[in-house]
Amino acid sequence: MIELQGIHQSYPGPGGPVEALRGIDLKIKPGEIFGVIGKSGAGKSSLVRTINLLNRPSAGKVIVGGQELSALPERELRAARRQIGLVFQHFNLLSSRTVYGNVALPLELAGTRPDDIKKRVDDLLDLVGLSALADRYPAQISGGQKQRVGIARALASQPKVLLSDEATSALDPETTRSILALLRQINKDFGLTVVLITHQMQVIKQIADRVAVLDAGRVVEQGAVIDVFTHPREAITRSLIDDLMPQELPESVIARIRYLMAVDPAPGRLLRLAFSGDESEGPLLSDVIRRFGLDLNILHGQVDEIQGRPFGSLAVFVRGARDALQAAVDHLRLAGVRVQEVNHVR
Ligand SMILES: Nc1ncnc2c1ncn2[C@@H]1O[C@H](COP(=O)(O)OP(=O)(O)O)[C@@H](O)[C@H]1O
Ligand SMILES: [Mg+2]
């Protein structure tokens, strides 16, 4: 559906050109929700603006729905852009227009007949659950409602692709969930291809099918969300995932470990185990305890689900003979569990 080939983008800067995109190759399939994640300054917004040619790339091709947008003259580009809807972080609504008026605007600009506009806007407001608020102004509705207006407006021209640049970054977690659910529903009901740009792994985890990790203008890692989450290859990816499953143990857990070590000074290791749906952690742990004669305390844990497969991490304090401890760690690693030593308690 969307193909980017060798995209470079640079901006003029005081000390010479700033290279925001340094050779991006991406293929996004029709009907999928494709996430692009990266830290601030990674080039995410530059990438979205390139897909709909709001920025012309310094080099490379942009192909959307079989049409090479980067080769079109400005006039044809304007028409081609109608197949691409855009949703913004700060909604970009016109404060002087009502909810209805904001959604109607792209249709008015496209010269749609008034009767058709009315019908289409009514349908769109119904779709995003805002029919009752049609006459309100942006200042009179919540952030989540504003984003619903933004989404309805983006859908007005019946696009095939929806680009979302940090659409939920200004919203609280609960509102974020409801907006993501709406995007998922639209994706399913209309087969719309969605490109979701975000700096939050939470967002990727909730709705994306595949994800690309952007760092300093390059795609450093990409794949199915479950694979990237469970087998991240790059340090940057791991740090983005850690935002979701924090590396640091809570103070109360650390206090408990100190207590356990004080009452029984036998050697012990504090480990962090990361597992995915491939390993069933319960039987595996009890098996390890029995087989190696260990004493194991689960101190802290988070289990979540991505696309129906469990995924999580556990902090465990294990005690036993030194060799048995090492054998247990090797055994867990062999079973596909990612085992990390946590040292900061001692
Ligand atoms: N219009 C611009 N002029 C100059 N530099 C820019 C412009 N837009 C973005 N940049 C620079 O390009 C890099 C990528 O920016 P951006 O695409 O906005 O990243 P992100 O959306 O991931 O935060 C940054 O170093 C930023 O400062
Ligand atoms: Mg940005």
Side-chain angles (χ1 to χ4, degrees):
M1 185 68 209
I2 301 175
E3 201 172 336
L4 304 179
Q5 297 175 357
I7 298 292
H8 284 260
Q9 178 65 271
S10 56
Y11 301 104
V18 179
E19 273 219 86
L21 302 176
R22 305 162 186 247
I24 304 272
D25 295 296
L26 274 183
K27 274 190 187 169
I28 299 172
K29 299 173 197 161
E32 78 174 327
I33 301 189
F34 192 90
V36 176
I37 187 159
K39 303 207 159 167
S40 175
K44 304 184 295 297
S45 294
S46 300
L47 186 65
V48 193
R49 295 176 63 83
T50 307
I51 295 176
N52 64 5
L53 268 288
L54 279 174
N55 282 354
R56 260 187 200 280
S58 326
K61 283 186 185 176
V62 179
I63 302 162
V64 177
Q67 194 175 28
E68 191 194 331
L69 298 192
S70 44
L72 295 180
E74 201 54 42
R75 231 179 64 97
E76 286 171 52
L77 191 56
R78 264 200 297 276
R81 263 195 210 118
R82 270 187 221 126
Q83 59 175 329
I84 306 175
L86 187 54
V87 183
F88 306 88
Q89 177 176 2
H90 297 293
F91 324 123
N92 296 17
L93 303 181
L94 289 181
S95 57
S96 60
R97 279 186 167 233
T98 60
V99 164
Y100 181 97
N102 269 283
V103 179
L105 184 63
L107 296 167
E108 290 169 18
L109 293 176
T112 309
R113 285 183 28 226
D115 285 359
D116 293 340
I117 292 180
K118 168 99 176 73
K119 169 138 197 354
R120 179 105 190 100
V121 175
D122 285 346
D123 286 351
L124 285 164
L125 290 179
D126 187 38
L127 176 76
V128 300
L130 288 183
S131 300
L133 304 183
D135 297 329
R136 298 247 190 123
Y137 287 89
Q140 301 168 324
I141 60 178
S142 71
Q145 289 164 343
K146 283 181 200 166
Q147 196 53 290
R148 284 170 187 271
V149 179
I151 292 169
R153 180 187 55 191
L155 296 177
S157 55
Q158 295 184 285
K160 297 187 183 67
V161 173
L162 192 66
L163 306 177
S164 157
D165 189 5
E166 304 271 9
T168 56
S169 299
L171 305 174
D172 63 73
E174 201 183 323
T175 311
T176 292
R177 268 193 292 282
S178 80
I179 292 294
L180 294 178
L182 175 63
L183 290 176
R184 183 44 114 182
Q185 182 203 332
I186 291 164
N187 159 262
K188 277 217 183 95
D189 292 354
F190 305 118
L192 202 74
T193 307
V194 179
V195 183
L196 201 82
I197 305 275
T198 181
H199 67 277
Q200 297 171 303
M201 248 334 173
Q202 185 67 33
V203 168
I204 299 291
K205 196 209 87 189
Q206 280 180 53
I207 71 163
D209 301 312
R210 290 197 301 144
V211 62
V213 181
L214 199 63
D215 186 36
R218 288 195 178 87
V219 173
V220 294
E221 184 158 359
Q222 64 172 307
V225 172
I226 181 86
D227 294 338
V228 172
F229 262 77
T230 52
H231 300 99
R233 285 186 287 112
E234 300 293 324
I236 175 87
T237 314
R238 277 195 287 275
S239 89
L240 288 162
I241 293 171
D242 283 344
D243 288 348
L244 204 60
M245 297 221 163
Q247 218 34 229
E248 294 296 309
L249 294 173
E251 203 45 54
S252 60
V253 172
I254 292 171
R256 198 165 124 69
I257 299 162
R258 291 218 170 90
Y259 171 77
L260 287 172
M261 292 172 74
V263 296
D264 177 2
R269 287 170 78 174
L270 179 58
L271 304 174
R272 194 180 185 82
L273 312 177
F275 57 87
S276 63
D278 307 334
E279 314 90 29
S280 50
E281 69 289 357
L284 184 60
L285 278 187
S286 52
D287 180 40
V288 163
I289 294 168
R290 258 185 279 116
R291 192 194 284 229
F292 300 100
L294 303 177
D295 182 21
L296 181 145
N297 275 285
I298 296 180
L299 299 164
H300 188 60
Q302 286 163 297
V303 182
D304 214 322
E305 213 182 62
I306 300 171
Q307 292 160 357
R309 293 165 71 185
F311 157 79
S313 77
L314 294 177
V316 298
F317 190 56
V318 226
R319 319 192 95 148
R322 187 181 280 273
D323 291 354
L325 282 175
Q326 189 52 47
V329 168
D330 294 344
H331 183 81
L332 286 168
R333 289 206 168 117
L334 216 58
V337 178
R338 195 150 62 92
V339 184
Q340 284 171 288
E341 196 94 27
V342 184
N343 292 315
H344 62 247
V345 183
R346 286 147 220 236

